[in-house]
Amino acid sequence: MKNKVFKKLAALALAGTMVMGLAACGNDADGNNNSSSGGNGSSTPESSKTDSDNQSDTGNNEGEVVEIEFWGWWSSEARKPHIEHMVNSFNDSQDRIKVTYVDIPWDDIFTKNIAQIVDGNPCDVMAGNFGDVPYRASQDQLTALDDYLGDLDTSKFFEVYLDNCKGEDGKTYALPLVADTRFIYYNKELFAAVGVSEENGNMPKTWEELQNLAFQLDKFNDDGSIDVMGFHPSLGNGGNDAWIVNANAGKLWYDPDAEKMIVDTDLNKKAMEYIMSYTEHYTQRTVDDYKAAFSSGMADPFCSGKLAMLIQTNAYRSAIKQNAPDLDYGVMLMPEMTEGNGHWVNGGGFTIEIPFGAKHPEEAMEFIKWMTSPEIQAYWALNMGEVPTINGITDETLLDDVVYQASMEALKETNLGTYPNEISGFKDILNAELDLILVGQKSIEDALKDADATIKATYNVE
C-alpha cells in the first residue's frame, strides 16, 4: 500500500476496540448482529518480547495432569452446552490434559486477554477471529504456532482460511476453527401465498426483484401498521457491508489490487440508497421496532412469522431450531445488484489460537488438534450451524443439510473482511458516518465524502 503508516498509528486508531466486518459482523457471537468479528484493546505487550519468551516451562511432570483454560464468548443456552460438550469430550479422550471452558463477553474478551498478556498470565488457548490475526500478531498478542504443529496436517484446512491465520512475517499465529457466510432465509409458507418458490423458478435474482417481492409480501393491520414485513436489508446479520461488497463484486471498502480505499464511489452511493429506500417504505419507526424485537431476545420476528425474509449467517439455523423448530424455511444466495454481478456477501469466522506467553503451548496445541478434527468440526456444524474450515468432512447428515449446502456455495463468493495492518481501524471512522445515514441525520453523499476524507487523512493513504 502507498504511504504506509507506522504500526503505532494503527494501535492508536484502534484504542479501546477494533471491530472487523460484518457485520458481521456486531454483538457477541450469540447475538443477531454478530459480524463474526473481534476487537482489540488499547494496551499491547512490549514489542521486545520474542518467541523464545513464549516457550515457558510447562511444568507438567510425568503423570501430572495439566490444567488449561479455553476462552470463548459462547454463553447462550443454545450454544454453550455444545462448547462444553466438545471440551468434555476432549477431557474424556485422555487423562493428561484437563481443559476448562471460560465464557467471557464478546466486548471484553480481547481487552481482557491483552491485560493478561501484559501481566504475564494469559489463558492457554482462546477463540479469535480471522479479520485481525495479522494485526494482533504484529502487536505480540499471539504465539507463533509453527514450532508446535507437530504432525498436524495443515493442508486439511481450506487455503483461504489458513492464509488469513498468518502474520506479515509468514508465520502461522492461529488455526481456522469455523467460518461463516451469509445468505437470505425465507419463510416458505409466506412465499407460497404469493406463488413464489424454487419449484416455480421465480425466486428473486436481483436486488430489484428482491425488493419487489418484499413489498408484495407485506401485510398491514387495519390501522395501517405493519403486521408482516417482507424484508429490510439492515435487519439480521449483514449490515451495510453485505450490500457494499455485493455492489462492488467482491471488494469491500478497499481495493487490494489498486491498493486504495473505495469509499466515496457511485456504486456505494447506490447501495446505501437501496438500503434507505426500504426505510422510506416502512418508516424509521417500524424498522426500529423490528430491530428492538431482535435485540431484546424475546421475540424473533422471522421465527414468529412477522418477517418473510432475513439476511443471516449460517449459524442462525441454531436459533431457528431452538425458537421455531417447526418453521418451514428455505435459504437462497444473496441476489445480485445487477445480473452477472455475483452473489458476494461479507463473511468471517473464528480462529483458535494461543496467546503470547501462554504457559502450556504444547498442551494447548493438543486441544486445538481436537477442535479442528473432522468429527468435532462436523459436530460443531450440525449443532451450532458454523461452517467447518477443513476439507474431508464425510458426515452424511451434515452433507445433506440445506444450510450447509448453501454455506459451501456462498463461501465461493464471500469476502472475509481482512485489510492491511496500516488501515486496520478505518471501520470505526466509516461506521460512525454510515450510522448517521441510517438514522437520517446525514445525507449519503456527505457521509461517504466525509468518511473518505477522514480515513485518508488519518492513515495517509489514497
Side-chain angles (χ1 to χ4, degrees):
M1 164 174 278
K2 302 175 182 178
N3 301 319
K4 290 187 177 181
V5 297
F6 295 107
K7 292 177 182 176
K8 288 190 178 292
L9 178 58
L12 288 172
L14 291 179
T17 181
M18 180 178 77
V19 179
M20 303 297 299
L22 72 236
C25 93
N27 296 328
D28 71 337
D30 290 324
N32 284 306
N33 295 319
N34 169 46
S35 59
S36 301
S37 316
N40 290 74
S42 58
S43 302
T44 56
E46 297 177 5
S47 59
S48 60
K49 291 183 180 179
T50 64
D51 283 346
S52 62
D53 296 320
N54 244 353
Q55 299 175 19
S56 307
D57 179 13
T58 60
N60 57 322
N61 297 323
E62 186 174 354
E64 181 179 332
V65 175
V66 177
E67 298 192 7
I68 65 176
E69 286 188 355
F70 168 45
W71 283 14
W73 48 81
W74 297 281
S75 59
S76 72
E77 294 182 2
R79 301 170 79 78
K80 185 175 181 178
H82 296 301
I83 295 292
E84 292 179 331
H85 171 80
M86 290 182 275
V87 169
N88 292 334
S89 295
F90 172 76
N91 291 337
D92 293 340
S93 72
Q94 45 74 51
D95 56 9
R96 190 173 65 88
I97 307 167
K98 180 181 179 182
V99 179
T100 299
Y101 174 60
V102 179
D103 66 89
I104 299 173
W106 174 267
D107 293 337
D108 299 332
I109 188 170
F110 294 96
T111 302
K112 186 172 182 179
N113 174 57
I114 293 172
Q116 295 288 81
I117 292 173
V118 173
D119 289 341
N121 188 35
C123 67
D124 302 282
V125 60
M126 67 178 287
N129 73 95
F130 286 118
D132 57 8
V133 170
Y135 175 79
R136 287 184 289 122
S138 73
Q139 299 300 302
D140 296 330
Q141 296 173 21
L142 301 175
T143 294
L145 303 181
D146 305 77
D147 292 338
Y148 303 103
L149 294 175
D151 60 356
L152 179 63
D153 180 12
T154 56
S155 67
K156 72 177 182 178
F157 296 103
F158 292 115
E159 186 175 0
V160 63
Y161 301 123
L162 191 61
D163 286 347
N164 278 274
C165 289
K166 297 182 182 295
E168 292 188 335
D169 58 4
K171 294 182 179 179
T172 301
Y173 285 92
L175 287 176
L177 183 57
V178 287
D180 71 46
T181 184
R182 283 158 179 76
F183 30 74
I184 294 178
Y185 292 76
Y186 64 92
N187 186 309
K188 286 188 175 182
E189 182 178 345
L190 295 177
F191 268 43
V194 295
V196 177
S197 68
E198 291 185 10
E199 293 74 17
N200 292 338
N202 57 351
M203 298 289 286
K205 297 180 177 63
T206 65
W207 287 14
E208 181 180 6
E209 292 177 359
L210 178 68
Q211 187 172 75
N212 289 338
L213 175 59
F215 295 168
Q216 184 181 1
L217 290 165
D218 289 341
K219 294 181 180 180
F220 295 90
N221 297 311
D222 292 339
D223 62 1
S225 61
I226 194 76
D227 180 41
V228 176
M229 177 187 286
F231 180 71
H232 194 288
S234 294
L235 295 177
N237 189 325
N240 305 308
D241 285 1
W243 305 94
I244 295 297
V245 73
N246 188 276
N248 287 277
K251 295 176 181 178
L252 184 57
W253 304 114
Y254 173 75
D255 185 338
D257 298 323
E259 295 186 326
K260 67 177 184 179
M261 305 303 302
I262 47 171
V263 176
D264 186 18
T265 69
D266 289 340
L267 274 178
N268 292 347
K269 291 174 185 176
K270 289 180 180 179
M272 295 306 298
E273 288 169 357
Y274 180 78
I275 294 172
M276 293 306 296
S277 68
Y278 282 85
T279 301
E280 293 170 4
H281 173 76
Y282 291 113
T283 76
Q284 185 67 55
R285 179 176 180 177
T286 299
V287 176
D288 290 343
D289 287 344
Y290 267 77
K291 287 183 177 180
F294 275 116
S295 62
S296 69
M298 297 299 291
D300 181 318
F302 181 78
C303 288
S304 60
K306 296 298 182 180
L307 181 64
M309 294 181 282
L310 179 69
I311 185 170
Q312 257 290 359
T313 69
N314 38 274
Y316 181 65
R317 53 139 18 177
S318 63
I320 297 177
K321 183 177 180 180
Q322 180 183 33
N323 299 321
D326 297 325
L327 180 66
D328 188 13
Y329 71 92
V331 293
M332 62 180 174
L333 296 182
M334 178 76 154
E336 301 173 297
M337 183 181 191
T338 56
E339 192 171 354
N341 204 51
H343 301 280
W344 285 93
V345 289
N346 54 327
F350 306 124
T351 59
I352 189 164
E353 50 200 43
I354 301 175
F356 193 96
K359 300 298 189 297
H360 306 290
E362 293 181 359
E363 286 78 11
M365 180 54 69
E366 290 304 307
F367 177 65
I368 289 174
K369 291 178 181 179
W370 175 267
M371 293 295 284
T372 58
S373 66
E375 295 77 14
I376 296 301
Q377 288 274 293
Y379 176 88
W380 190 304
L382 284 169
N383 291 280
M384 294 174 65
E386 311 288 5
V387 180
T389 54
I390 64 174
N391 51 47
I393 296 291
T394 59
D395 187 287
E396 293 184 3
T397 303
L398 180 59
L399 296 178
D400 290 338
D401 182 76
V402 63
V403 173
Y404 177 76
Q405 293 173 353
S407 299
M408 299 308 293
E409 187 67 26
L411 282 170
K412 297 175 182 178
E413 294 180 299
T414 297
N415 185 308
L416 297 182
T418 56
Y419 304 98
N421 285 348
E422 298 82 43
I423 59 169
S424 293
F426 84 91
K427 295 294 289 290
D428 292 335
I429 297 171
L430 177 64
N431 288 337
E433 293 289 344
L434 296 180
D435 286 344
L436 295 177
I437 296 174
L438 297 179
V439 298
Q441 294 185 10
K442 202 166 189 177
S443 71
I444 294 172
E445 183 174 339
D446 288 345
L448 291 180
K449 180 180 179 180
D450 290 348
D452 184 71
T454 304
I455 290 170
K456 290 178 178 178
T458 301
Y459 296 100
N460 191 27
V461 295
E462 293 185 5

